[in-house]
Amino acid sequence: MSDNGKPKFAMYWAASCGGCEIAVLNINEKILDVDANFEVVFWPVAMDAKYKDVEAMPDKSILLTLFNGGIRNEENEHLAILLRQKSQILVAFGSCATEGCIPGLANFSNTDQIYEAVYEGVSTDNPNHIRPQYNYEVPEGTLHIPAFYPALRTLDQVVDVDYYMPGCPPESHQIAAVIDLVLKVLNGEAELPPKGAVIGAGNSTVCDECGRKRHVKSITKFVRIHEVDEIDPELCLLEQGILCNGPATRSGCGARCPGVGAACIGCYGPAEGVIDYGARLMTAVASVIDSNDPDEIDAILEGIPDPAGSFYRFSMPHSLLRMAKPAWSNGNR
Amino acid sequence: MSEQFEPVIIGFTCNWCSYRAADMAGTARIKYPPNIRLVRLMCSGRLDPTFVLKALSEGADGVLITGCHPGECHYLEQNYKALRRYRLLLKTIAQMGIEPERVKLVWASAAEGVQLARAITTFVEEIRALGPLRWPLRLAEMDIKETAAVEEVVA
Amino acid sequence: MTKYLFYPGCSMQKNARSYLDSMMAIRPELDITFEEVDDWNCCGATEYWSVHQVKAHALIGRNLALAEQQANGSNTLVAGCSACYLNLAKTANYLEEDLQLRAKIDDALAVGGLHFTPGSLDIRHLLDIVFNDVGLEKIRSKVVRPLTGLRVAPYYGCMIVRPDRENRYGNPEYPTALDKLLEALGATVIDFPQKTHCCGGHMTQISPEVAYELLHRLISGADRYNADLIVTLCPMCQLNLDAYQGDMNTFMDTDYHMPCLYFTQMMGLAFGHDPKELGIGKEFVDAGPALAKIGVELPEAEERPKPKPRRKQKQEGLPMPRMGDGNE
Amino acid sequence: MSNKQNQPQDEKERIGVYVCHCGSNIAGVVDVEDVAVWAKEELGDQGVVVSRDYKFMCSSLGQEMIENDIKEQGLNRVVVAACSPHLHEATFRKACERAGLNPYLSELVSIREQVSWVHTDKEKATEKAKAMVAGGVERVIENEPLEPLRVPIHPATLVVGGGIAGIQAALEIADAGYQVYMVEREPSIGGHMAQFDKTFPTLDCAACILTPKMVSVGEHPNIELLTWSEVERVEGYVGNFSVTVRKRPRYVDTDLCTGCGICWEKCPKKVIDEDFEQGLGYRTAVYTPFPQAVPKYPVIDTESCIFFANGKCKACEKLCPTGAINFDQEEEILLLEVGNIIIATGFDTFDARRIPEYGYGRLANVFTSVEFERMCNAAGPTNGEVVLRDGVTKPEAVGIVHCVGSRDRNYNNYCSVICCMSSLKFAHLVKERTGAEVYNFYIDMRTAYKDYDEFYQRVMEEGVLFVRGRVAEITDATRNPGEEGKLVVQVEDTLAGRQRRIPVDMAILSVGLQPPSDTKEVAQRFGISCSASGWITEKHPKLDPVATMTEGIFIAGAIQGPKDIPTSVAQGAAAAARVLGRINKGEMYLEPIRATVDPEKCSGCRICNNLCPFGAIIFHEDLMVTEINHALCQGCGTCVAACPAGAISGTGFSNEQVLSQIEGLLAYSFPKDFELVEMVPA
């Protein structure tokens, strides 16, 4: 408990887009409850704070830390370790922190390829082919920028995580619900869920919340959404040949995308107990292909031009393989 | 220690055909290299791509999937489901920089002990030629390093 | 208009000229064209294999290489002669399967600046093209002078159906493609028991007695079914059945008169072509009487020297001493 | 979020590992002591508290060792490293059960079939054995206690097919006092046996021994006979199948018909009988296939009946003394409730036309074996006279060709079993009835079983000639004197080592047996499988020949593979015995390897819905969740593997079990000094 008696709250933004932060603000007036019940001690996007201030805090002095973003460089890693050490409850907040998300797609490439894209790309003017140097000697001494790691890791691959809150970003109503829960716990009106639990989401998958009609499935052709003249507003997208991640994706979002005729892309991650999101989707989709002939099957699969990208868009770093071979073989140099 | 690379291979077998074929290979004392370790499933249709990825992520250099010949499935048609998943799995792992040749599907009936042994021998050689995959194991090690770091900080 | 590469082979240029002529004559009806392989050479016939396998393959390999060079668009190589067809197909097949042989042949061809890619050509016999590509439907539609009332014995010989993995002519043991073709032309087709039996091949040269025996089986078989003529698809068969029938008669002392024509000639007749244009009238055993049944008038068969009957070898007395190297 | 977390954490594992020497079978190659010691040391953390090796674990002493440890050491998991589970899984499960441990908390690791018998390098073999033990240990930790599934057995039985095998099965069950439904496609039961004249090797007349059985089927109070009928659909599972049968209209009211036969005597329409008489004889449009037909009621063949053709005639209706003819009869659909099903749909014969060089269909005097059976039959088209196609001439020489369509890679690769004996029978009958010269052309003479070879010898003594060699062709193309007007059998006599041409007047082709053309569909309808050659696959070729992979469905007779009458009868009885055992027990227990849907997790996406060939997956529209019927589920696990939500779990082969086994198998497989990828800055 702190001086003003309020429990301390922290939020940090590692390798991610910042959408999670916006999502938190999207809870509107609920944010006032946060302010009313918590003392925000560290939230770079919302208030000024220095790492050294955090380092100075006593261990476990922060009650709740919402950590969004993956671990891509030394700085992310340092803060992850630091906040773990200072916090009682560390929540992997949002898809990046829980399973890697879009930044995690970089795990398909090795550092050179990434640098190539970033520093030498068509849109980049870099005649001298300058690449970052982590230590740079100047008369005043050595300049240092955080080292870039060969692959992105999820928060729980770096430190011990108490809860997971999926979503890219987590739906605001779910955030609000979680905050309510924490407040209830503070007032002794509720119990904390068991360690390692996924909070702010459902136990089933998106289809559970999806209003579309569905039947026995048997797929003869995969099409991409722009290849369909007219999407049946009533019918399950997968049954229309559109690769929809709904069946494998944890519920909680309210099936918003399929609701408006856009296929689910899986930002809420795997359902309870699933250890490899992509594999589940892969096996499900393949199982309902309506052919027993290898060539015909391959022909049908032509309709999924980028399986790895479609199945692991959000979960690559948290998949069984975690990264494509180039990422680690490159690390070997 | 011999110089040549000894691949480690996980084989998935169907309880009704290929597992019995393995039994038969044994009973007939047909020899094949010890590089393969078999896992029994009730049917190749039970094969979840997760199992294959698990094997690879745990360091296997190759995975052999076996099932009843098309049309001879003990459960009538489930081996076809295995086939469908297999085709998609190959496509996917190729994108992850894994040679698709490392995951192979062969059919073997309960009577085909010889054929199974031959298939295993061939596959071991194919993987030997491809060289080690040994999917990081090492990735796990990275984590150990980090959690160690946590201890430091705490200390 | 489908284009095929064509390998004539020596016999179609000479003794089987009428086969070539009739084949050329019916192209328009079949709506196909042939492009002859430039600078083709002998296929080695049936003999060269027993002389030297590899050389035989090389000899044929050259024809295949030339054909491949020429194959723009159509990669189907057609031979009318069964022996040519079998040899070409055989080598193409061996080269696909036997890598050592392939290496040898590659070297051999390389000397002549040639190369053959196994699998690049589809080698087929003329009957295969007519029966499977053109098809009976089309053929029926072109018939203007049905061969009604003519009893024909369809004779395949031994070479095109052995092997016939794709069953292109029906069951290899008992092919029916030619039967069906002739029926389509309106002829009465007999269930010819010897349809794939041996015609004697080059035995006529090596050991005539054997050849005569074999020829007798075929001709008597056709005769027993009251066939008016035998229809064939192989120059060697035609030659033996036609040119050696007289000798056979003498030897067996029988008096068969069983003309033997090519299926292309029969098609030509049915399509209403002039017999002369189809090379009919050149055969030793006059087909005139048979063809009269379908109202085809043959021009007066020009006087041709009757092949003089071979003297029967004398059984009594000592045999003559062998002369020279034994080639008679 | 690892897979371990949502496992019910039961009390700390106490695992016993038992490594079997199997005499020297395992110990000869694998250092079993080393494996046992290693398991204790290396797998202690996983909970291995006891680890022993023993000469023969499957011996009573070996089993007692396990039982005692369970009791005294309080083991709650057992791993046995020995032979294949298909041999001794049951043994060790029982041992655990006796000691009060749930049998499914044990694992049998096959280090004999999969290690010692197939590998030679002792060191590597031992390494692999260790890895496999580790896999077994990791797996057994995830094993759950299971209880076998209990299902009640409906006492009625369906027998499909009224041949001798089906008849035998039906009578056995009916005599035991239980209801049997027999469905037969033809107008009468009797099957192929009814077509025969004599039966080998005893030569007793087929009708004389078959008819009584047919009659007792027809009269049996416990047998409901459904001829001219076919099974349309089969639903349900062992113990309670519901079967839909389509009963075609006979156009004869069986309550009124006395089978007097006036109708078929008077019927003006004669047609060639392609079925029973094999095209050798005639029947009328209203007919019973043969005099002793059961049931005795005729059927009207709408194809040939004049009335059905042009609405006139009705002679039969006019002349029927009991007014039993009823042209308005319609097909009936019957629904049967049965607990077990016996399939005895028999065989078809090979179509000899497929081998044109044998001339069947081209050469008048080439007959098939079935045609000849009819010809020999006193009630047949020639009243038992053996004559040529012209119907009068007796043959002076007859050639019998064995293996027509059998043992031939171009047709059926297998041996049809019965042809040698039936060919010998034909040879005897020809001799007996015509005194003709008889040649048997055989590849190998196969006269296994009781009194068969004696019959062979007898036929040889009767002066029948045997030529060993495959017939090349049968032709009318004569070549040598004496061949005129005859059929010439061209054959390589492999004993004389030369080609022979044997002129005969009549050739009999002993055509092989093959599965009825629609067997694949039938198999699908009953949820069982066919082998590559098309016969229905038995559960075990040696140890369970009359059961199928699908519980409650049995097979008998030739549908399981070519066989003769004695074996078919034996199988019919065997299948009946299996069924009776179950009926008497009233219930049965099924391996609890089943899939289950967690309704909480199921999103009702319906991915799994068409993955089950046994129809075990049911979707509840109202609740929008899928459910799996445990009695129908066969435990293949395809749906488990397919569920995108991971909502389906499979007992016996759960994800946790398999994944942990994989971990175990690999954990000890790599050199420790493996170079690591450091997370170093690029």
Side-chain angles (χ1 to χ4, degrees):
Chain A
M1 289 291 124
S2 75
D3 8 296
N4 60 15
K6 286 198 223 164
K8 295 193 167 58
F9 170 89
M11 182 156 185
Y12 183 69
W13 168 354
S16 65
C17 66
C20 292
E21 312 268 348
I22 309 304
V24 172
L25 299 180
N26 273 353
I27 65 177
N28 306 332
E29 63 280 1
K30 249 260 174 314
I31 198 76
L32 299 176
D33 298 358
V34 178
D35 183 55
N37 294 279
F38 288 97
E39 177 192 1
V40 179
V41 292
F42 181 64
W43 189 355
V45 78
M47 60 171 273
D48 182 34
K50 299 281 175 288
Y51 291 170
K52 63 173 171 20
D53 304 340
V54 183
E55 280 152 9
M57 296 178 189
D59 288 358
K60 306 285 174 212
S61 58
I62 305 172
L63 175 71
L64 175 64
T65 298
L66 303 182
F67 191 105
N68 73 83
I71 310 303
R72 180 79 243 194
N73 62 27
E74 256 179 354
E75 184 187 21
N76 305 149
E77 190 179 41
H78 173 64
L79 263 290
I81 295 165
L82 185 61
L83 287 166
R84 165 71 285 181
Q85 178 193 357
K86 303 299 178 187
S87 319
Q88 289 176 44
I89 302 172
L90 177 65
V91 178
F93 187 84
S95 180
C96 295
T98 50
E99 47 171 7
C101 196
I102 304 302
L105 285 172
N107 285 9
F108 278 99
S109 319
N110 63 37
T111 320
D112 288 345
Q113 294 163 328
I114 294 169
Y115 283 180
E116 191 66 30
V118 176
Y119 296 99
E120 316 279 338
V122 283
S123 63
T124 316
D125 179 25
N126 184 1
N128 307 335
H129 305 289
I130 293 162
R131 296 277 178 100
Q133 298 161 59
Y134 300 105
N135 299 310
Y136 186 67
E137 299 302 331
V138 289
E140 295 77 5
T142 304
L143 294 177
H144 181 76
I145 57 170
F148 185 78
Y149 288 146
L152 179 137
R153 287 166 296 162
T154 61
L155 187 57
D156 68 353
Q157 284 165 356
V158 177
V159 295
D160 182 37
V161 170
D162 299 307
Y163 299 114
Y164 300 84
M165 191 157 176
C168 180
E171 288 294 325
S172 296
H173 72 275
Q174 295 283 15
I175 303 175
V178 167
I179 296 206
D180 280 340
L181 172 72
V182 177
L183 294 176
K184 281 209 178 65
V185 173
L186 287 178
N187 308 337
E189 298 159 15
E191 285 288 302
L192 275 176
K195 189 175 182 347
V198 174
I199 56 176
N203 315 332
S204 185
T205 67
V206 171
C207 301
D208 193 43
E209 299 173 329
C210 180
R212 292 179 173 268
K213 283 202 202 62
R214 58 206 80 158
H215 315 81
V216 166
K217 291 181 173 40
S218 178
I219 298 181
T220 52
K221 188 171 191 292
F222 287 103
V223 291
R224 293 156 83 186
I225 209 138
H226 62 271
E227 297 169 323
V228 193
D229 314 339
E230 201 178 327
I231 299 172
D232 181 330
E234 299 289 294
L235 182 63
C236 164
L237 292 168
L238 197 52
E239 288 170 37
Q240 301 183 54
I242 300 161
L243 183 59
C244 176
N245 295 18
T249 307
R250 186 183 280 269
S251 53
C253 59
R256 289 182 146 206
C257 302
V260 297
C264 169
I265 52 175
C267 75
Y268 259 63
E272 190 65 45
V274 170
I275 64 169
D276 191 291
Y277 174 87
R280 293 256 55 70
L281 197 58
M282 208 187 306
T283 185
V285 168
S287 300
V288 293
I289 288 175
D290 182 24
S291 170
N292 295 336
D293 167 61
D295 300 337
E296 196 181 352
I297 293 170
D298 288 352
I300 294 172
L301 288 174
E302 288 299 306
I304 307 179
D306 175 19
S310 315
F311 300 143
Y312 290 100
R313 180 176 294 167
F314 291 91
S315 62
M316 190 57 191
H318 211 276
S319 69
L320 278 163
L321 294 177
R322 295 180 51 176
M323 59 189 75
K325 192 171 173 184
W328 57 259
S329 52
N330 167 263
N332 256 343
R333 291 170 310 121
Chain B
M1 272 282 123
S2 63
E3 285 316 299
Q4 86 167 350
F5 158 59
E6 288 299 342
V8 177
I9 290 163
I10 291 289
F12 294 99
T13 58
C14 155
N15 179 57
W16 305 100
C17 54
S18 44
Y19 193 90
R20 289 168 197 264
D23 280 356
M24 174 161 290
T27 323
R29 312 295 200 278
I30 299 156
K31 304 289 179 249
Y32 55 84
N35 306 58
I36 191 161
R37 289 118 174 70
L38 298 181
V39 175
R40 177 166 64 137
L41 304 173
M42 284 307 280
C43 173
S44 52
R46 176 65 179 91
L47 186 95
D48 183 331
T50 312
F51 299 165
V52 179
L53 295 169
K54 176 73 173 179
L56 295 175
S57 70
E58 294 284 332
D61 300 297
V63 174
L64 187 68
I65 305 162
T66 63
C68 307
H69 286 275
E72 290 183 37
C73 178
H74 173 92
Y75 300 101
L76 308 183
E77 54 191 30
Q78 305 302 57
N79 49 354
Y80 290 120
K81 276 81 170 187
L83 172 66
R84 299 170 189 170
R85 295 172 190 149
Y86 169 69
R87 301 307 306 177
L88 182 50
L89 178 62
L90 286 193
K91 230 179 147 197
T92 312
I93 61 171
Q95 286 183 284
M96 299 187 172
I98 302 172
E99 303 85 341
E101 297 76 19
R102 290 190 185 271
V103 181
K104 189 173 180 181
L105 174 65
V106 299
W107 309 123
S109 79
E112 298 179 330
V114 187
Q115 288 84 337
L116 182 67
R118 201 178 296 137
I120 291 174
T121 316
T122 321
F123 189 57
V124 170
E125 287 321 310
E126 288 167 359
I127 297 300
R128 207 192 293 285
L130 281 173
L133 183 63
R134 301 291 152 97
W135 198 269
L137 287 183
R138 347 174 129 84
L139 292 186
E141 297 293 336
M142 296 190 309
D143 302 341
I144 293 162
K145 170 162 149 282
E146 303 316 341
T147 36
V150 187
E151 267 65 81
E152 286 161 30
V153 186
V154 178
Chain C
M1 190 67 87
T2 330
K3 192 191 84 183
Y4 296 97
L5 291 164
F6 177 58
Y7 175 87
C10 52
S11 37
M12 282 184 89
Q13 305 254 311
K14 293 275 173 276
N15 59 296
R17 184 71 202 203
S18 53
Y19 189 11
L20 184 67
D21 295 344
S22 50
M23 163 183 136
M24 290 304 179
I26 57 171
R27 280 174 305 172
E29 285 87 348
L30 304 185
D31 189 25
I32 55 178
T33 57
F34 296 106
E35 182 183 317
E36 181 168 341
V37 176
D38 299 331
D39 190 32
W40 57 268
N41 54 260
C42 169
C43 77
T46 51
E47 291 80 356
Y48 203 17
W49 294 110
S50 37
V51 179
H52 196 292
Q53 292 276 344
V54 177
K55 289 178 187 163
H57 280 300
L59 190 71
I60 299 156
R62 180 171 183 279
N63 291 322
L64 294 170
L66 292 168
E68 184 184 353
Q69 264 181 8
Q70 222 168 310
N72 53 347
S74 109
N75 66 337
T76 306
L77 176 60
V78 181
C81 167
S82 301
C84 299
Y85 156 74
L86 187 60
N87 285 343
L88 292 164
K90 207 188 277 182
T91 298
N93 187 29
Y94 274 85
L95 289 181
E96 233 174 300
E97 286 167 6
D98 180 343
L99 296 179
Q100 282 141 337
L101 176 67
R102 193 192 295 186
K104 291 196 187 123
I105 303 307
D106 283 349
D107 296 348
L109 293 177
V111 176
L114 289 170
H115 177 267
F116 173 63
T117 328
S120 62
L121 288 177
D122 182 15
I123 291 135
R124 297 166 66 188
H125 185 274
L126 182 60
L127 177 65
D128 180 10
I129 301 297
V130 170
F131 183 70
N132 293 312
D133 287 12
V134 178
L136 296 183
E137 267 326 298
K138 187 176 206 130
I139 291 165
R140 258 189 224 93
S141 70
K142 302 288 181 188
V143 173
V144 295
R145 184 202 290 140
L147 310 181
T148 321
L150 199 62
R151 290 179 64 84
V152 296
Y155 179 54
Y156 298 77
C158 59
M159 284 191 279
I160 65 163
V161 288
R162 302 200 181 90
D164 174 18
R165 296 197 192 83
E166 296 88 13
N167 291 0
R168 280 173 286 193
Y169 314 99
N171 187 315
E173 294 289 349
Y174 209 86
T176 47
L178 186 54
D179 301 50
K180 295 194 180 121
L181 172 61
L182 293 166
E183 268 159 22
L185 300 178
T188 311
V189 182
I190 66 160
D191 180 15
F192 189 35
Q194 292 95 338
K195 53 169 66 170
T196 61
H197 286 206
C198 177
C199 74
H202 52 217
M203 281 294 160
T204 46
Q205 311 309 311
I206 299 165
S207 153
E209 295 77 4
V210 175
Y212 297 152
E213 163 63 27
L214 294 169
L215 285 168
H216 179 265
R217 289 180 191 174
L218 298 179
I219 293 168
S220 59
D223 182 72
R224 193 170 298 104
Y225 276 89
N226 311 320
D228 299 314
L229 55 91
I230 295 177
V231 176
T232 180
L233 44 74
C234 168
M236 169 74 84
C237 304
Q238 200 275 346
L239 181 72
N240 285 347
L241 285 164
D242 187 36
Y244 290 91
Q245 196 171 131
D247 294 2
M248 183 276 286
N249 276 327
T250 331
F251 181 80
M252 292 274 171
D253 85 71
T254 50
D255 182 24
Y256 289 111
H257 184 90
M258 182 63 64
C260 179
L261 294 179
Y262 294 101
F263 73 99
T264 44
Q265 294 177 298
M266 304 312 287
M267 291 173 77
L269 288 171
F271 295 165
H273 286 264
D274 165 32
K276 199 157 180 53
E277 173 196 6
L278 301 168
I280 297 176
K282 293 206 180 77
E283 56 281 342
F284 288 86
V285 179
D286 183 5
L291 298 184
K293 286 181 116 186
I294 52 165
V296 174
E297 286 306 320
L298 286 198
E300 203 41 56
E302 69 272 13
E303 221 26 72
R304 52 174 100 90
K306 272 249 165 289
K308 51 177 168 347
R310 289 180 177 226
R311 235 184 295 99
K312 274 198 191 172
Q313 273 168 344
K314 288 216 286 312
Q315 298 306 321
E316 65 277 46
L318 294 169
M320 293 292 291
R322 279 177 152 274
M323 307 298 287
D325 58 0
N327 294 345
E328 314 218 39
Chain D
M1 315 213 293
S2 99
N3 60 310
K4 287 280 173 64
Q5 259 171 18
N6 45 359
Q7 263 298 102
Q9 274 309 332
D10 48 9
E11 81 287 14
K12 181 90 194 71
E13 283 79 21
R14 293 182 60 80
I15 306 169
V17 173
Y18 300 88
V19 188
C20 181
H21 295 234
C22 194
S24 63
N25 276 313
I26 297 172
V29 180
V30 175
D31 183 342
V32 286
E33 292 87 349
D34 181 28
V35 174
V37 173
W38 176 88
K40 184 87 182 292
E41 289 167 354
E42 287 289 325
L43 305 175
D45 300 350
Q46 278 81 348
V48 174
V49 291
V50 183
S51 182
R52 307 180 194 279
D53 62 280
Y54 188 69
K55 268 250 167 285
F56 291 100
M57 286 311 308
C58 59
S59 67
S60 51
L61 289 170
Q63 298 185 47
E64 277 165 31
M65 181 195 286
I66 299 176
E67 292 170 48
N68 296 336
D69 286 353
I70 294 173
K71 296 200 196 92
E72 290 154 19
Q73 312 262 357
L75 300 182
N76 54 17
R77 296 277 194 285
V78 168
V79 174
V80 182
C83 52
S84 165
H86 290 135
L87 289 170
H88 274 308
E89 190 167 58
T91 314
F92 295 112
R93 280 182 176 172
K94 284 204 187 68
C96 294
E97 200 164 16
R98 281 197 298 276
L101 181 65
N102 181 294
Y104 293 92
L105 294 177
S106 64
E107 273 297 319
L108 179 49
V109 177
S110 173
I111 62 169
R112 190 179 72 175
E113 282 77 357
Q114 286 179 33
V115 182
S116 64
W117 276 353
V118 288
H119 304 324
T120 42
D121 180 325
K122 291 194 159 85
E123 189 185 326
K124 290 196 176 123
T126 308
E127 283 311 303
K128 180 176 176 181
K130 288 177 183 172
M132 287 175 70
V133 169
V137 168
E138 293 288 358
R139 190 181 202 283
V140 82
I141 293 172
E142 303 293 346
N143 284 17
E144 306 156 275
L146 302 173
E147 294 304 328
L149 302 159
R150 181 191 159 285
V151 288
I153 305 293
H154 189 293
T157 305
L158 170 70
V159 175
V160 186
I164 186 61
I167 289 174
Q168 186 67 30
L171 288 174
E172 299 276 358
I173 298 171
D175 290 344
Y178 298 103
Q179 174 69 39
V180 174
Y181 302 94
M182 176 179 277
V183 174
E184 167 60 53
R185 182 183 284 173
E186 298 300 322
S188 166
I189 59 171
H192 286 278
M193 188 176 173
Q195 294 175 293
F196 302 164
D197 178 40
K198 298 270 184 290
T199 57
F200 60 77
T202 50
L203 294 176
D204 39 8
C205 116
C208 316
I209 55 176
L210 177 64
T211 318
K213 281 184 169 291
M214 289 165 63
V215 171
S216 44
V217 168
E219 291 170 343
H220 208 296
N222 292 340
I223 300 180
E224 182 173 342
L225 187 52
L226 303 164
T227 53
W228 208 234
S229 309
E230 288 191 60
V231 173
E232 184 122 301
R233 200 161 73 255
V234 180
E235 287 160 315
Y237 44 86
V238 57
N240 46 0
F241 293 101
S242 55
V243 182
T244 317
V245 175
R246 176 180 298 273
K247 196 170 183 211
R248 283 142 74 197
R250 277 187 124 86
Y251 303 105
V252 171
D253 184 333
T254 50
D255 301 335
L256 302 174
C257 177
T258 61
C260 65
I262 291 177
C263 53
W264 64 80
E265 283 156 23
K266 301 295 182 207
C267 176
K269 177 74 173 193
K270 297 239 175 315
V271 291
I272 295 174
D273 180 353
E274 295 293 347
D275 309 321
F276 192 79
E277 295 295 0
Q278 291 290 298
L280 281 186
Y282 299 85
R283 62 163 171 82
T284 48
V286 53
Y287 71 103
T288 60
F290 52 103
Q292 310 92 325
V294 171
K296 59 189 179 215
Y297 319 115
V299 297
I300 294 179
D301 159 23
T302 53
E303 302 289 297
S304 47
C305 172
I306 298 170
F307 171 74
F308 281 96
N310 57 24
K312 295 187 199 60
C313 183
K314 286 197 172 189
C316 47
E317 190 183 53
K318 295 189 195 81
L319 296 162
C320 177
T322 62
I325 304 288
N326 170 10
F327 285 102
D328 309 328
Q329 213 175 58
E330 305 215 326
E331 74 174 11
E332 296 172 58
I333 301 292
L334 303 129
L335 195 66
L336 311 176
E337 296 295 328
V338 298
N340 293 281
I341 297 175
I342 298 174
I343 299 175
T345 46
F347 63 90
D348 276 355
T349 47
F350 174 82
D351 177 7
R353 290 176 193 78
R354 288 177 61 197
I355 311 183
E357 60 269 34
Y358 285 178
Y360 181 72
R362 294 194 295 114
L363 305 172
N365 292 316
V366 178
F367 294 83
T368 68
S369 40
V370 196
E371 281 179 311
F372 188 76
E373 289 283 2
R374 291 312 299 153
M375 193 186 279
C376 292
N377 193 305
T382 63
N383 309 320
E385 290 293 307
V386 175
V387 288
L388 302 184
R389 234 9 111 170
D390 64 14
V392 287
T393 324
K394 279 198 184 308
E396 285 157 12
V398 176
I400 302 171
V401 184
H402 295 219
C403 300
V404 175
S406 309
R407 305 183 67 197
D408 183 335
R409 280 157 65 202
N410 299 320
Y411 308 104
N412 295 325
N413 214 351
Y414 52 82
C415 167
S416 291
V417 178
I418 55 128
C419 328
C420 280
M421 285 305 289
S422 55
S423 302
L424 290 171
K425 178 182 72 180
F426 297 157
H428 166 84
L429 293 173
V430 173
K431 271 254 173 266
E432 180 184 75
R433 305 196 180 181
T434 66
E437 198 70 272
V438 182
Y439 300 87
N440 273 50
F441 303 96
Y442 67 99
I443 305 177
D444 298 293
M445 191 56 73
R446 296 188 169 179
T447 55
Y449 307 127
K450 191 178 172 193
D451 294 340
Y452 284 14
D453 207 65
E454 290 83 333
F455 184 72
Y456 177 26
Q457 290 156 28
R458 168 183 171 184
V459 173
M460 279 194 284
E461 282 152 15
E462 289 172 356
V464 173
L465 302 166
F466 290 86
V467 180
R468 184 177 185 278
R470 190 180 200 83
V471 170
E473 73 169 341
I474 298 171
T475 175
D476 58 348
T478 63
R479 192 180 292 171
N480 311 323
E483 292 182 356
E484 285 74 14
K486 298 215 172 232
L487 293 173
V488 180
V489 179
Q490 175 84 45
V491 59
E492 181 189 4
D493 186 328
T494 56
L495 297 181
R498 60 188 179 83
Q499 281 288 336
R500 293 178 65 180
R501 290 173 62 81
I502 297 174
V504 297
D505 303 304
M506 171 193 268
I508 303 168
L509 306 180
S510 284
V511 288
L513 273 45
Q514 57 189 29
S517 53
D518 62 346
T519 301
K520 273 237 171 302
E521 295 81 76
V522 171
Q524 236 146 31
R525 206 170 302 146
F526 288 92
I528 52 183
S529 55
C530 296
S531 73
S533 48
W535 303 104
I536 287 180
T537 319
E538 61 288 87
K539 189 162 190 173
H540 190 287
K542 298 175 192 63
L543 306 180
D544 209 348
V546 296
T548 66
M549 304 296 194
T550 305
E551 279 297 347
I553 298 194
F554 298 87
I555 49 178
I559 193 62
Q560 180 244 356
K563 54 181 59 64
D564 56 13
I565 294 168
T567 323
S568 301
V569 171
Q571 277 204 346
R578 294 290 300 279
V579 170
L580 284 171
R582 296 192 166 174
I583 297 174
N584 290 343
K585 212 147 171 276
E587 62 179 21
M588 70 176 291
Y589 291 92
L590 305 179
E591 265 283 84
I593 296 178
R594 293 294 185 269
T596 313
V597 180
D598 174 348
E600 284 309 301
K601 286 190 186 173
C602 175
S603 67
C605 70
R606 308 198 63 177
I607 288 277
C608 61
N609 284 192
N610 69 343
L611 298 183
C612 181
F614 307 101
I617 300 180
I618 312 123
F619 183 69
H620 298 295
E621 289 280 356
D622 48 348
L623 308 166
M624 288 300 274
V625 292
T626 291
E627 189 196 346
I628 291 170
N629 176 322
H630 275 191
L632 279 173
C633 174
Q634 306 282 317
C636 69
T638 304
C639 57
V640 183
C643 178
I648 310 181
S649 58
T651 47
F653 289 83
S654 69
N655 290 339
E656 292 73 19
Q657 284 170 299
V658 177
L659 293 167
S660 308
Q661 185 180 6
I662 295 172
E663 278 176 23
L665 287 171
L666 291 169
Y668 305 90
S669 298
F670 304 101
K672 295 274 170 285
D673 59 348
F674 207 77
E675 101 286 353
L676 308 173
V677 176
E678 291 295 323
M679 255 299 173
V680 290

